[in-house]
Amino acid sequence: MTTFEAIPISQIDKGSAYITTGDGKAYPLDAEELRHAFAAIVRDDPTEMITTGEAARILGVSAKTVARMLDSGEIPFVRYGAKGNRMVSRAQVVAYRDKSKSHSHEALETMREAACQGGLDDIDYSAYLARYS
């Protein structure tokens, strides 16, 4: 078992992995320790069900947005309990998030290519802004 020693967060090199505590101390992690930390945090249990609130936090959206996603069939769900609360698979929520991010990056790259081909990346912004000053 590795013994961790805390150091001030200001002493952590940029781009280095670390775990921090609320008191400003950090625990640097090497690649193996980082892999173990991720394994402890991320569960690969495809049967793990979470609430729509937890799904909202994972996706970075509101619970109402998650409800609309569920109603439209974007993410499958089951009703659970006497009140019929909706539950979703954590694995499916994470997969949806990753797919959405990938789609967003592809769309942005397509827009960049179109702007380059159309000569839109050579705009003189100072002249453009001067027109509205």
Side-chain angles (χ1 to χ4, degrees), residues 4-9 12 18-28:
F4 295 104
E5 291 188 37
I7 62 173
I9 235 173
I12 298 289
Y18 62 92
I19 294 175
T20 185
T21 58
D23 60 1
K25 293 182 181 170
Y27 297 86

Side-chain angles (χ1 to χ4, degrees), residues 27-46:
Y27 297 86
L29 301 173
D30 63 23
E32 184 66 19
E33 293 164 341
L34 180 61
R35 192 169 25 260
H36 285 295
F38 273 124
I41 294 169
V42 178
R43 296 178 219 152
D44 289 332
D45 181 1

Side-chain angles (χ1 to χ4, degrees), residues 9-71:
I9 235 173
S10 59
Q11 293 180 5
I12 298 289
D13 294 330
K14 184 177 180 179
S16 296
Y18 62 92
I19 294 175
T20 185
T21 58
D23 60 1
K25 293 182 181 170
Y27 297 86
L29 301 173
D30 63 23
E32 184 66 19
E33 293 164 341
L34 180 61
R35 192 169 25 260
H36 285 295
F38 273 124
I41 294 169
V42 178
R43 296 178 219 152
D44 289 332
D45 181 1
T47 62
E48 181 185 7
M49 302 298 282
I50 60 173
T51 66
T52 55
E54 291 172 292
R57 282 189 290 282
I58 290 170
L59 297 171
V61 298
S62 71
K64 281 191 169 204
T65 299
V66 170
R68 285 191 294 271
M69 294 168 142
L70 300 181
D71 290 340

Side-chain angles (χ1 to χ4, degrees), residues 25 31 33-34 40 47-49 57-58 60 65 67 74 80 82 87 89 93 95-96 101-102 109 117 124 130:
K25 293 182 181 170
E33 293 164 341
L34 180 61
T47 62
E48 181 185 7
M49 302 298 282
R57 282 189 290 282
I58 290 170
T65 299
E74 293 178 59
Y80 183 75
M87 302 291 285
S89 161
V93 170
Y96 180 88
K101 282 184 181 180
S102 175
E109 188 56 36
Q117 290 172 357
D124 180 3

